Every structure is written in C-alpha cells, then in structure tokens.
Amino acid sequence: MNAYALQPSPLYLGIDTGGTYTDAVLWSESTGIVAKAKSLTTRHDLAEGIAGAADAVLSEAVIEPSAIKLVSMSTTLATNALVEGQGGRVALVMIGFTEADLARNGLSKALGSDPVIFCPGGHDVHGDPRELVLDALVAALPFLADTVSGVAVASYFAVRNPEHEIAVRDERIGLPVTCSHELSSKLGGPRRALTTLLNARLISMIDRLVDATEGFLARRGIVAPLMVVRGDGALITAEFARARPIETILSGPAASLVGARYMTGIDDAVVSDIGGTTTDIAVLDGGRLRLDPEGATVGGMRTMVEAVAMRTFGLGGDSEVSLHEQSLASTIVLGPRRLVPLALAAVKHGDAICQGLNRQLLSPNTSRLDGRFALRTGVPERLAAGLTVTETRLYADISAIPAALDRLLVSTSQVATLNRLVARGLVHIVGFTPSDAAHVLGRQGNWDPVAARLGAELFSRKRDGQGHRVAKGAEAFSEMVLAAVTRRSAEVILESVFAEDGLEGGVSVANPLVQRAVGGRGGMARLSIALDRPVIGLGASASLHFAGLPQLIGNECSIAEHADVANALGAVVGQVRMSAEARVSQPEIGLFRLNSGERLDDYDTKDEAMAAAEAHIRVLAAGLAERAGTDQARIEIARDIRVATIEGERSFVEAIVVATATGRPRIAS
C-alpha cells in the first residue's frame, strides 16, 4: 500500500524556487506536510533544481503521479533580479510624456542604458485623446528587433483611456509587449511606467521558470493545474504569471508569511525570512498579511504592484562578504550582491576553485580580487544581445569554468565591465559568503569545506588600517562573518519596525544610541531596545543565524519545525484573489462617465453609471478570477463615493467601485 492510499484528501505539491535552493513539499488538508525536500537551484537550467526537490518528495511519499491534484509554486527569482539589478534589456515607449518625466520616481535610474522612445499622444484626465503619432516607434522597430527582449508601453492617463497603449500593442513589433493599464489602475504615469518597464524585463525569466516546471510535470506524468503565488499571497495560473511577472515580486516572501502563520499559529509577530540572497521582513497583525497601500518596494524602486507590506534587504547566506577599510579597523560588509559560495562552486569545479585559491595564498601580497572567480550563468545566447564592444570581449573570455579574477581582469576598468555583465544576468561571481563561513566552522556541511577554508584564509590575512591582520585565521574570520550576519539581521528587523511605527525619518538604526542599545554596550546612560512581539524566523539557515537574535531584539525568536520550507508550504494553502476597479466621474454637469479597463461610457445620471459600473466589474472580476485559476469565486463589492460641499450644497465628484473575487484554485479531477 502506498502513502497516497492513506490520504483521505487530495495531495498538493508546493514548490519554491529561491536564489540558492528549490524547496518542495507534499501537503494534504487532512494531514499537513506529508514529505519535504530541498535541491540546489540551477539558474542555467531551472528544471534540474525543480526535478531534484520534487522527485525527492515524490519518492519519500511513495505516490503515483495521478495522486497530485494541484501544483503551486512561489519564487524569489523576480525579487532577487530586481534587488541585484538584473533582467532582460527592454525598450520603453512613452506616449504623451517628455524627457523630464524620466527624472520622476526613479524611472531614469531604473531605465539605465535601455532605449526609450517618446511619441506624441495620450489622454486628459477625463479620457479624451490627443493626437497619437507613432513615427518614432516605427522608425526604431528594425533596431529594437535585435537589441531588446521586450517592449514596455506607458501612455499619459492610460488608466482613464488605454486606447493608445492598445494601438502600440497591436503594432507588428514581434516582441513581448507590456501595457501599463494592464498592471495598475492607479494614477501616476512615471511610476506606472517604471512598473511596466520592470514587468517587461522579467518576462523571459518567468517564462523560463514556468517552462521548466511544466516540462518537469509533463515528464513525470503529473496532470494538474500549475499555480504561482503572487506578491500579495494570492494564487494565479502559470499563464497569467507569464504575462504579468511583476506581480510575482515578493512571491516567495508572501508565501512564507502564509506558511509562517499556518505553522506557528502566532497572530502577531515580526516575520524574518533569510534566504540565500535576501532577508525579507514583514508583520503579522491579527493573523493577517498586511498589504502595502503604496505598492511594493524592491531594490529601492517603488512599484505599483499590490503586495505584502514587506521590506527586502540584500542579506542572506550567499551574500557577498567584503571589507570596508576604515582608519583603524576593517569592518565586514555583507551584500547586497549574491555570490556563488566557494564551497558550492567547488562541488562542481573543485580543481579550478582550489587551485586558484592555493595559488593566491602562496603569493606574498594580497589583492582585492583574491578569492573571486567568474563564470557564465548558462542563459541562452540571445539574452546577450546589445552588449558593448568591451562587454562582448570580456564575455568571450568567460566560460562555464570559473576563472580567477586576478588573471581574467587586466585593468581596473574591466571591473565595471564585469559588474555590468553580472547585472545583465550573464555572469556569476564566485566568492566567500556566510555559507562558506558556516562550512569552515562545521555548522553547515552540504558543500566543499576545503574551498571555504581556503577562502577564509585569504580574507584573514588582509590588513586593516593599522596594518594588522583582519583575523588570526580561517576560524576566527568565519566567526566574525557569522556574528556580522546575526547583528545585521537584528538591525534590519529594527529598521523595519521603526518604519512600521512611523519613525523611519526620525530614528535610524545607524544612530550611535541605537547601536549602543542593540550591542548592549555600557555607558552613563543605560539604553535598551525591545520588540513588542516575537520574531518568527524562517529559512534553512534561520536556526544558525537567528540563534543570537533574542538578546539583540529583546524578545523571543520562534523557529518552526518546517521553517526551512515555509515558502513551499505557503504556496499550496492560499487562495485565488482578483480585483477589478471602475471609476465614475462627472467631467461636466449632467454627464457621468464610466471608466473601467478598456471601457469608456457616458450616462445621463449617476445611478445609471453606478449600476453599469457595478455590473461591469462583477463580470470583469469573475473573468479575471477564472483566468487566474478558480471557477467558484465569491465576489464582494466595495464602493468609495467622494463628494464636495460647496456653499452648503453636496456635489458628486467621483466614485470608485471595486469587485474582489476569491476562491480556492481548481484541482485536477
């Protein structure tokens, strides 16, 4: 008798594809977690990591593929890409905007060297059009075909009338096109353009993830719907995620919150999830996930994506370890960039890594490039389109075998060139990380400890501002690194709590008084700091890095039994939730205008417009929910009617009507 025969309810397969590990859980509503497993995330071929984790849980549970009725996955890939500045090269088409608009909301910085095309057009606040002229776009199309992987379109007041964005979408561009009105109904053109730009950059990455997962399921004979966790914790179909990958930013963290609440039963807590690349921090209030009303902020960029109110920091087990040399001592700096740990790289490329490290250890002088290697990520060659001459030359010198940077780079200027290749997702940097430190100290043992120790020795012999060695040896330096991770974890938790309390502008974690309180250092003024609620620690390395948290934060840190797979668990216990919004305005006395998605209609009375709005968004929400993966949605309507009082008379200004459809995802019959 197999394990499935004992299950009274359907089995669900949850998968979380993180920056370092891919996790899998097999879960049933009646018995909880049936099996769990981890496998390394293989960025060059995501199917390998997915297969490794999923096959392990299927084998442990001893079930037939037909027993699985639903597959759902969360991912940190989109979040990590934005934190690390990665993503495909895209063209931004701005309709009705000017170059001055690029300076708003960080759009110019996010755009970088990607091309932008300005076209006359757009609409006014009531949805009335200006003349659309696409000559600049048509002229650029031959160039775009070979230099970008997608196109993002943002038109002035597209949320009031999207016809000009639709006109661009209907052009024969031959590339994936993302329109801003499809992603948000909020005003704020530059920030909506930023959101659209990021969405277009992420399409190829999410395509690869979905293709890899669907390919694995087909090979294993698993015929079940595939869902993806959105940034607000809701579930959507894989096809829906392909078109709107920006909505999967904070997918992994949102799933972890759902999983944390399910596992611990704690209603009020600070949740800190430490992964390979990032630490994600959020607050549970009354057992509910708090959503960010202003939109998710990732990598310093404020988007219009409705997501869990969460702060993401470039701190994880695979964070880059470097030294900030001050006048007297060298301070350990962690992240925000993710490196491939030396211990991990040596598992596959032992000779190249260890030989390079030993050679550098024999050198009488230290170098800033010691302990660093570069290798290709293995992405398709087409994603290398648009490289400069210098980038192309350096990229040609890098292969699938790690090359030591002290021999690969022949000039200081090439460091910047290499960093651009890393930002494009074409090259990985191998170097010393907290995961290596854990291997040196025997607190982690799944990779190669020899390479980790060599890397720690290289770091320990570097000199501080007084000419002293940074540490006495590999063990001492590794202890310093792990202590720095715990200390930095406490700091980012406090930084998040200060922001929640509205103190972000007035109290800084870097303040000497806060630093004294966290460190417990004495003084004439005794200072202490404490959270009003416990911390729930999540992540495979939570028990290692969070063991010393209580004395720094003044409260308990709870680490659940299955904290290492909270994301994968959260992926299968959520619901589909989709919303549609309509706006009724009064552009002139006696005329009431309904605007909803691609619909723009005028009515003689407010009641007619409101009734039409409500009927329309019910249909829209139900349709979106069906596309997102449920056919048994419950629909709730919320109304926000705004009026103005002038000389004692109440006058209608506008009304916003929102329909929200919620339901459990469809499962295989």
Side-chain angles (χ1 to χ4, degrees):
M1 178 181 296
N2 63 36
Y4 174 65
L6 303 176
Q7 300 295 328
S9 59
L11 286 175
Y12 301 79
L13 175 62
I15 300 171
D16 174 69
T17 303
T20 303
Y21 280 108
T22 295
D23 301 339
V25 297
L26 203 60
W27 177 83
S28 96
E29 293 181 357
S30 60
T31 59
I33 293 180
V34 177
K36 67 177 183 178
K38 286 180 173 288
S39 179
L40 284 171
T41 295
T42 45
R43 292 195 180 191
H44 68 283
D45 184 0
L46 295 171
E48 288 185 22
I50 292 169
D55 281 342
V57 296
L58 296 179
S59 175
E60 180 181 340
V62 196
I63 65 167
E64 296 296 327
S66 60
I68 296 176
K69 302 301 181 183
L70 179 75
V71 180
S72 186
M73 63 178 175
S74 63
T75 178
T76 61
L77 290 182
T79 308
N80 293 347
L82 298 187
V83 169
E84 297 176 6
Q86 297 182 3
R89 190 169 190 264
V90 302
L92 175 62
V93 180
M94 299 281 281
I95 303 173
F97 293 95
T98 66
E99 289 196 25
D101 292 304
L102 295 180
R104 297 168 57 193
N105 299 105
L107 181 54
S108 180
K109 181 179 178 181
L111 187 65
S113 61
D114 288 6
V116 57
I117 301 164
F118 294 96
C119 295
H123 294 75
D124 65 18
V125 67
H126 301 300
D128 295 321
R130 304 167 182 169
E131 183 181 0
L132 175 64
V133 182
L134 297 179
D135 294 351
L137 173 62
V138 173
L141 286 180
F143 167 77
L144 297 180
D146 298 323
T147 59
V148 300
S149 60
V151 174
V153 186
S155 178
Y156 203 74
F157 274 115
V159 295
R160 297 295 169 86
N161 192 332
E163 63 181 353
H164 288 177
E165 290 189 351
I166 295 170
V168 172
R169 187 181 65 191
D170 291 343
E171 285 283 324
R172 295 184 178 181
I173 294 177
L175 294 166
V177 177
T178 301
C179 294
S180 78
H181 76 276
E182 297 172 327
L183 301 176
S184 177
S185 59
K186 295 179 180 178
L187 297 175
R191 187 147 67 94
R192 198 170 62 253
L194 169 66
T195 305
T196 311
L197 171 70
L198 299 179
N199 188 83
R201 282 185 179 161
L202 294 172
I203 284 176
S204 61
M205 179 179 295
I206 295 300
D207 270 345
R208 289 176 56 222
L209 175 61
V210 172
D211 286 344
T213 308
E214 289 179 338
F216 162 76
L217 297 177
R219 289 190 296 274
R220 297 300 185 272
I222 298 174
V223 182
L226 175 60
M227 308 294 290
V228 180
V229 179
R230 211 168 54 184
D232 61 356
L235 303 179
I236 53 177
T237 63
E239 284 307 308
F240 203 96
R242 283 184 192 270
R244 292 158 71 160
I246 189 67
E247 294 188 359
T248 69
I249 63 172
L250 301 182
S251 162
S256 75
L257 277 179
V258 176
R261 174 66 181 82
Y262 175 85
M263 288 187 296
T264 66
I266 299 176
D267 287 338
D268 299 297
V270 176
V271 181
S272 183
D273 186 358
I274 185 167
T277 307
T278 61
T279 291
D280 307 305
I281 299 173
V283 176
L284 278 175
D285 272 329
R288 296 181 179 180
L289 283 66
R290 188 183 301 173
L291 300 184
D292 190 337
E294 299 299 321
T297 299
V298 181
M301 295 175 285
R302 172 74 74 176
T303 71
M304 282 187 168
V305 176
E306 187 176 69
V308 170
M310 182 169 289
R311 298 174 72 85
T312 298
F313 301 87
L315 174 68
D318 298 345
S319 289
E320 177 178 15
V321 174
S322 57
L323 296 175
H324 177 58
E325 297 180 0
Q326 300 174 339
S327 58
L328 296 179
S330 293
T331 304
I332 291 176
V333 179
L334 300 169
R337 184 166 66 171
R338 173 191 180 270
L339 303 186
V340 177
L342 291 167
L344 173 56
V347 171
K348 187 174 182 180
H349 308 286
D351 290 342
I353 298 296
C354 292
Q355 287 176 8
L357 295 173
N358 277 311
R359 174 181 57 79
Q360 292 168 353
L361 278 169
L362 292 174
S363 173
N365 300 313
T366 61
S367 165
R368 291 181 180 273
L369 301 179
D370 282 353
R372 299 290 177 91
F373 301 79
L375 74 161
R376 292 193 179 193
T377 60
V379 299
E381 285 295 321
R382 60 182 173 79
L383 297 182
L387 294 180
T388 65
V389 173
T390 55
E391 290 168 350
T392 300
R393 287 174 181 168
L394 182 57
Y395 188 55
D397 292 336
I398 300 172
S399 70
I401 304 298
L405 295 193
D406 63 343
R407 290 189 168 176
L408 175 68
L409 306 181
V410 296
S411 67
T412 304
S413 64
Q414 284 189 303
V415 174
T417 304
L418 178 63
N419 288 338
R420 290 196 297 271
L421 294 176
V422 173
R424 285 284 302 273
L426 302 174
V427 172
H428 283 319
I429 300 296
V430 179
F432 194 81
T433 69
S435 295
D436 291 303
H439 276 80
V440 172
L441 298 172
R443 299 173 193 173
Q444 188 175 336
N446 46 331
W447 302 331
D448 185 347
V450 175
R453 176 173 290 276
L454 292 173
E457 287 285 358
L458 276 171
F459 256 109
S460 70
R461 70 176 193 160
K462 293 185 177 184
R463 304 285 174 171
D464 61 20
Q466 293 181 308
H468 300 144
R469 283 182 57 138
V470 171
K472 292 182 178 180
E475 286 83 2
F477 181 73
S478 297
E479 290 282 9
M480 291 168 58
V481 170
L482 294 188
V485 173
T486 302
R487 176 58 178 259
R488 183 59 184 149
S489 296
E491 290 175 349
V492 298
I493 288 171
L494 291 173
E495 186 176 326
S496 301
V497 170
F498 289 163
E500 289 289 335
D501 285 343
L503 302 174
E504 191 170 21
V507 180
S508 168
V509 172
N511 185 297
L513 294 178
V514 176
Q515 287 291 313
R516 182 192 292 185
V518 174
R521 297 198 304 272
M524 292 184 66
R526 288 188 176 182
L527 302 172
S528 64
I529 194 165
L531 302 185
D532 74 336
R533 62 194 67 197
V535 168
I536 298 176
L538 301 178
S541 60
S543 58
L544 170 64
H545 297 308
F546 294 165
L549 267 186
Q551 63 188 27
L552 300 177
I553 61 172
N555 211 317
E556 298 177 353
C557 181
S558 173
I559 301 175
E561 177 186 0
H562 299 295
D564 55 333
V565 292
N567 294 19
L569 174 62
V572 294
V573 296
Q575 290 189 322
V576 173
R577 184 175 61 254
M578 297 299 296
S579 295
E581 180 178 304
R583 183 184 303 267
V584 176
S585 60
Q586 188 175 196
E588 59 185 72
I589 299 299
L591 177 66
F592 295 87
R593 177 163 292 174
L594 162 63
N595 174 271
S596 178
E598 299 179 5
R599 178 174 176 175
L600 191 70
D601 293 319
D602 291 335
Y603 296 87
D604 294 328
T605 69
K606 181 190 73 174
D607 290 343
E608 287 179 315
M610 291 290 290
E614 196 168 306
H616 182 54
I617 62 169
R618 278 186 179 275
V619 174
L620 277 183
L624 285 170
E626 186 172 5
R627 277 184 60 202
T630 183
D631 49 14
Q632 297 181 346
R634 302 179 306 277
I635 298 178
E636 296 180 352
I637 301 291
R639 304 168 190 81
D640 180 11
I641 300 177
R642 301 169 186 176
V643 298
T645 302
I646 302 174
E647 296 181 353
E649 294 291 330
R650 290 169 61 85
S651 175
F652 175 84
V653 177
E654 69 174 3
I656 298 175
V657 188
V658 179
T660 302
T662 307
R664 280 290 288 167
R666 287 186 293 266
I667 64 174
S669 57

PDB file of all heavy atoms in Angstrom, residues 58 97 157 185 192 204 223 237 259 297 321 326 354-355 373 393 404 451 523 544 610 615:
ATOM      1  N   LEU A  58       8.333  13.085  -3.945  1.00  0.00           N
ATOM      2  CA  LEU A  58       7.511  12.029  -4.536  1.00  0.00           C
ATOM      3  C   LEU A  58       8.029  10.654  -4.131  1.00  0.00           C
ATOM      4  O   LEU A  58       7.261   9.727  -3.859  1.00  0.00           O
ATOM      5  CB  LEU A  58       7.494  12.162  -6.060  1.00  0.00           C
ATOM      6  CG  LEU A  58       6.852  13.435  -6.625  1.00  0.00           C
ATOM      7  CD1 LEU A  58       6.935  13.436  -8.147  1.00  0.00           C
ATOM      8  CD2 LEU A  58       5.414  13.562  -6.177  1.00  0.00           C
ATOM      9  N   PHE A  97       4.443  61.706 -22.843  1.00  0.00           N
ATOM     10  CA  PHE A  97       5.363  62.142 -21.796  1.00  0.00           C
ATOM     11  C   PHE A  97       6.552  62.864 -22.425  1.00  0.00           C
ATOM     12  O   PHE A  97       6.771  62.814 -23.636  1.00  0.00           O
ATOM     13  CB  PHE A  97       5.870  60.940 -20.986  1.00  0.00           C
ATOM     14  CG  PHE A  97       4.822  60.262 -20.160  1.00  0.00           C
ATOM     15  CD1 PHE A  97       4.145  59.142 -20.649  1.00  0.00           C
ATOM     16  CD2 PHE A  97       4.503  60.721 -18.899  1.00  0.00           C
ATOM     17  CE1 PHE A  97       3.179  58.502 -19.895  1.00  0.00           C
ATOM     18  CE2 PHE A  97       3.534  60.087 -18.128  1.00  0.00           C
ATOM     19  CZ  PHE A  97       2.872  58.980 -18.628  1.00  0.00           C
ATOM     20  N   PHE A 157      -2.214  59.178 -18.850  1.00  0.00           N
ATOM     21  CA  PHE A 157      -3.576  58.911 -18.397  1.00  0.00           C
ATOM     22  C   PHE A 157      -4.176  57.667 -19.065  1.00  0.00           C
ATOM     23  O   PHE A 157      -5.373  57.629 -19.380  1.00  0.00           O
ATOM     24  CB  PHE A 157      -4.487  60.119 -18.612  1.00  0.00           C
ATOM     25  CG  PHE A 157      -4.445  61.111 -17.487  1.00  0.00           C
ATOM     26  CD1 PHE A 157      -3.957  62.391 -17.699  1.00  0.00           C
ATOM     27  CD2 PHE A 157      -4.879  60.767 -16.213  1.00  0.00           C
ATOM     28  CE1 PHE A 157      -3.894  63.313 -16.654  1.00  0.00           C
ATOM     29  CE2 PHE A 157      -4.820  61.682 -15.162  1.00  0.00           C
ATOM     30  CZ  PHE A 157      -4.326  62.962 -15.378  1.00  0.00           C
ATOM     31  N   SER A 185      -4.397  50.337 -12.117  1.00  0.00           N
ATOM     32  CA  SER A 185      -5.435  51.325 -12.439  1.00  0.00           C
ATOM     33  C   SER A 185      -5.188  52.626 -11.684  1.00  0.00           C
ATOM     34  O   SER A 185      -6.047  53.511 -11.676  1.00  0.00           O
ATOM     35  CB  SER A 185      -6.818  50.772 -12.070  1.00  0.00           C
ATOM     36  OG  SER A 185      -6.885  50.464 -10.688  1.00  0.00           O
ATOM     37  N   ARG A 192       3.917  54.223 -12.923  1.00  0.00           N
ATOM     38  CA  ARG A 192       3.283  53.150 -13.685  1.00  0.00           C
ATOM     39  C   ARG A 192       4.209  52.701 -14.813  1.00  0.00           C
ATOM     40  O   ARG A 192       4.294  51.516 -15.133  1.00  0.00           O
ATOM     41  CB  ARG A 192       1.934  53.628 -14.239  1.00  0.00           C
ATOM     42  CG  ARG A 192       1.016  52.480 -14.674  1.00  0.00           C
ATOM     43  CD  ARG A 192      -0.387  52.951 -14.995  1.00  0.00           C
ATOM     44  NE  ARG A 192      -0.420  53.884 -16.111  1.00  0.00           N
ATOM     45  CZ  ARG A 192      -0.634  55.187 -15.984  1.00  0.00           C
ATOM     46  NH1 ARG A 192      -0.841  55.712 -14.798  1.00  0.00           N
ATOM     47  NH2 ARG A 192      -0.637  55.973 -17.049  1.00  0.00           N
ATOM     48  N   SER A 204      11.095  37.128 -19.622  1.00  0.00           N
ATOM     49  CA  SER A 204      11.891  35.974 -20.058  1.00  0.00           C
ATOM     50  C   SER A 204      12.282  35.093 -18.879  1.00  0.00           C
ATOM     51  O   SER A 204      12.342  33.860 -18.996  1.00  0.00           O
ATOM     52  CB  SER A 204      13.142  36.445 -20.807  1.00  0.00           C
ATOM     53  OG  SER A 204      13.968  37.242 -19.974  1.00  0.00           O
ATOM     54  N   VAL A 223      -0.526  15.447 -14.211  1.00  0.00           N
ATOM     55  CA  VAL A 223      -1.509  16.251 -14.937  1.00  0.00           C
ATOM     56  C   VAL A 223      -2.345  17.005 -13.908  1.00  0.00           C
ATOM     57  O   VAL A 223      -3.331  16.491 -13.371  1.00  0.00           O
ATOM     58  CB  VAL A 223      -2.407  15.374 -15.829  1.00  0.00           C
ATOM     59  CG1 VAL A 223      -3.378  16.244 -16.615  1.00  0.00           C
ATOM     60  CG2 VAL A 223      -1.565  14.535 -16.778  1.00  0.00           C
ATOM     61  N   THR A 237      -2.790  31.467 -12.146  1.00  0.00           N
ATOM     62  CA  THR A 237      -2.317  30.416 -13.036  1.00  0.00           C
ATOM     63  C   THR A 237      -0.950  30.784 -13.608  1.00  0.00           C
ATOM     64  O   THR A 237      -0.560  31.954 -13.663  1.00  0.00           O
ATOM     65  CB  THR A 237      -3.287  30.197 -14.208  1.00  0.00           C
ATOM     66  OG1 THR A 237      -3.341  31.394 -15.000  1.00  0.00           O
ATOM     67  CG2 THR A 237      -4.678  29.828 -13.723  1.00  0.00           C
ATOM     68  N   GLY A 259       2.833  30.569   5.074  1.00  0.00           N
ATOM     69  CA  GLY A 259       3.352  29.358   5.709  1.00  0.00           C
ATOM     70  C   GLY A 259       3.659  29.559   7.178  1.00  0.00           C
ATOM     71  O   GLY A 259       3.403  28.676   8.010  1.00  0.00           O
ATOM     72  N   THR A 297       8.020  47.900  -2.712  1.00  0.00           N
ATOM     73  CA  THR A 297       9.332  48.488  -2.965  1.00  0.00           C
ATOM     74  C   THR A 297      10.369  47.379  -2.942  1.00  0.00           C
ATOM     75  O   THR A 297      10.525  46.680  -1.938  1.00  0.00           O
ATOM     76  CB  THR A 297       9.691  49.540  -1.902  1.00  0.00           C
ATOM     77  OG1 THR A 297       8.719  50.589  -1.936  1.00  0.00           O
ATOM     78  CG2 THR A 297      11.066  50.129  -2.161  1.00  0.00           C
ATOM     79  N   VAL A 321      30.729  38.829   0.892  1.00  0.00           N
ATOM     80  CA  VAL A 321      31.482  39.302   2.052  1.00  0.00           C
ATOM     81  C   VAL A 321      32.631  40.169   1.556  1.00  0.00           C
ATOM     82  O   VAL A 321      33.424  39.746   0.712  1.00  0.00           O
ATOM     83  CB  VAL A 321      32.034  38.126   2.884  1.00  0.00           C
ATOM     84  CG1 VAL A 321      32.951  38.644   4.004  1.00  0.00           C
ATOM     85  CG2 VAL A 321      30.890  37.306   3.479  1.00  0.00           C
ATOM     86  N   GLN A 326      38.377  51.185   7.257  1.00  0.00           N
ATOM     87  CA  GLN A 326      38.288  52.473   7.925  1.00  0.00           C
ATOM     88  C   GLN A 326      39.677  52.861   8.423  1.00  0.00           C
ATOM     89  O   GLN A 326      40.664  52.187   8.159  1.00  0.00           O
ATOM     90  CB  GLN A 326      37.279  52.393   9.070  1.00  0.00           C
ATOM     91  CG  GLN A 326      35.874  52.013   8.591  1.00  0.00           C
ATOM     92  CD  GLN A 326      34.920  51.791   9.741  1.00  0.00           C
ATOM     93  OE1 GLN A 326      35.340  51.537  10.862  1.00  0.00           O
ATOM     94  NE2 GLN A 326      33.633  51.892   9.443  1.00  0.00           N
ATOM     95  N   CYS A 354      39.951  25.422  -6.149  1.00  0.00           N
ATOM     96  CA  CYS A 354      41.000  25.188  -5.148  1.00  0.00           C
ATOM     97  C   CYS A 354      42.392  25.531  -5.661  1.00  0.00           C
ATOM     98  O   CYS A 354      43.228  26.062  -4.917  1.00  0.00           O
ATOM     99  CB  CYS A 354      40.936  23.743  -4.660  1.00  0.00           C
ATOM    100  SG  CYS A 354      39.447  23.392  -3.686  1.00  0.00           S
ATOM    101  N   GLN A 355      42.659  25.251  -6.926  1.00  0.00           N
ATOM    102  CA  GLN A 355      43.967  25.604  -7.478  1.00  0.00           C
ATOM    103  C   GLN A 355      44.162  27.118  -7.495  1.00  0.00           C
ATOM    104  O   GLN A 355      45.235  27.625  -7.161  1.00  0.00           O
ATOM    105  CB  GLN A 355      44.112  25.035  -8.888  1.00  0.00           C
ATOM    106  CG  GLN A 355      44.308  23.531  -8.923  1.00  0.00           C
ATOM    107  CD  GLN A 355      44.356  22.973 -10.338  1.00  0.00           C
ATOM    108  OE1 GLN A 355      44.388  23.718 -11.320  1.00  0.00           O
ATOM    109  NE2 GLN A 355      44.345  21.654 -10.451  1.00  0.00           N
ATOM    110  N   PHE A 373      36.058  34.572  -8.518  1.00  0.00           N
ATOM    111  CA  PHE A 373      36.068  33.904  -9.818  1.00  0.00           C
ATOM    112  C   PHE A 373      34.832  34.340 -10.601  1.00  0.00           C
ATOM    113  O   PHE A 373      33.850  34.820 -10.019  1.00  0.00           O
ATOM    114  CB  PHE A 373      36.041  32.380  -9.651  1.00  0.00           C
ATOM    115  CG  PHE A 373      37.184  31.818  -8.854  1.00  0.00           C
ATOM    116  CD1 PHE A 373      37.181  31.876  -7.460  1.00  0.00           C
ATOM    117  CD2 PHE A 373      38.270  31.230  -9.483  1.00  0.00           C
ATOM    118  CE1 PHE A 373      38.235  31.364  -6.718  1.00  0.00           C
ATOM    119  CE2 PHE A 373      39.328  30.714  -8.748  1.00  0.00           C
ATOM    120  CZ  PHE A 373      39.312  30.784  -7.361  1.00  0.00           C
ATOM    121  N   ARG A 393      33.886  41.534 -25.539  1.00  0.00           N
ATOM    122  CA  ARG A 393      35.225  40.953 -25.435  1.00  0.00           C
ATOM    123  C   ARG A 393      35.417  40.225 -24.104  1.00  0.00           C
ATOM    124  O   ARG A 393      35.943  39.104 -24.068  1.00  0.00           O
ATOM    125  CB  ARG A 393      36.273  42.056 -25.586  1.00  0.00           C
ATOM    126  CG  ARG A 393      36.415  42.590 -27.008  1.00  0.00           C
ATOM    127  CD  ARG A 393      37.362  43.780 -27.037  1.00  0.00           C
ATOM    128  NE  ARG A 393      37.498  44.326 -28.388  1.00  0.00           N
ATOM    129  CZ  ARG A 393      38.063  45.491 -28.662  1.00  0.00           C
ATOM    130  NH1 ARG A 393      38.565  46.251 -27.676  1.00  0.00           N
ATOM    131  NH2 ARG A 393      38.142  45.915 -29.912  1.00  0.00           N
ATOM    132  N   ALA A 404      39.703  32.798 -12.300  1.00  0.00           N
ATOM    133  CA  ALA A 404      40.112  33.691 -11.218  1.00  0.00           C
ATOM    134  C   ALA A 404      40.175  35.122 -11.732  1.00  0.00           C
ATOM    135  O   ALA A 404      40.758  35.395 -12.789  1.00  0.00           O
ATOM    136  CB  ALA A 404      41.465  33.264 -10.667  1.00  0.00           C
ATOM    137  N   ALA A 451      37.390  24.319   0.092  1.00  0.00           N
ATOM    138  CA  ALA A 451      37.397  25.584  -0.647  1.00  0.00           C
ATOM    139  C   ALA A 451      36.984  26.734   0.266  1.00  0.00           C
ATOM    140  O   ALA A 451      37.538  27.836   0.197  1.00  0.00           O
ATOM    141  CB  ALA A 451      36.462  25.494  -1.848  1.00  0.00           C
ATOM    142  N   GLY A 523      27.511  52.528  29.423  1.00  0.00           N
ATOM    143  CA  GLY A 523      27.669  53.968  29.353  1.00  0.00           C
ATOM    144  C   GLY A 523      26.946  54.596  30.525  1.00  0.00           C
ATOM    145  O   GLY A 523      26.243  53.909  31.282  1.00  0.00           O
ATOM    146  N   LEU A 544      20.674  28.852  12.494  1.00  0.00           N
ATOM    147  CA  LEU A 544      22.086  29.230  12.618  1.00  0.00           C
ATOM    148  C   LEU A 544      22.239  30.726  12.859  1.00  0.00           C
ATOM    149  O   LEU A 544      22.892  31.150  13.819  1.00  0.00           O
ATOM    150  CB  LEU A 544      22.851  28.814  11.355  1.00  0.00           C
ATOM    151  CG  LEU A 544      24.273  29.341  11.204  1.00  0.00           C
ATOM    152  CD1 LEU A 544      25.163  28.786  12.309  1.00  0.00           C
ATOM    153  CD2 LEU A 544      24.830  28.976   9.822  1.00  0.00           C
ATOM    154  N   MET A 610     -23.452  54.212 -11.964  1.00  0.00           N
ATOM    155  CA  MET A 610     -23.037  53.345 -10.861  1.00  0.00           C
ATOM    156  C   MET A 610     -23.515  51.914 -11.073  1.00  0.00           C
ATOM    157  O   MET A 610     -22.778  50.947 -10.821  1.00  0.00           O
ATOM    158  CB  MET A 610     -23.575  53.892  -9.539  1.00  0.00           C
ATOM    159  CG  MET A 610     -22.925  55.193  -9.082  1.00  0.00           C
ATOM    160  SD  MET A 610     -21.214  54.958  -8.560  1.00  0.00           S
ATOM    161  CE  MET A 610     -21.442  54.034  -7.038  1.00  0.00           C
ATOM    162  N   ALA A 615     -22.170  46.308 -12.425  1.00  0.00           N
ATOM    163  CA  ALA A 615     -22.426  45.133 -13.260  1.00  0.00           C
ATOM    164  C   ALA A 615     -21.189  44.770 -14.074  1.00  0.00           C
ATOM    165  O   ALA A 615     -20.838  43.589 -14.219  1.00  0.00           O
ATOM    166  CB  ALA A 615     -23.614  45.402 -14.185  1.00  0.00           C
TER     167      ALA A 615
END
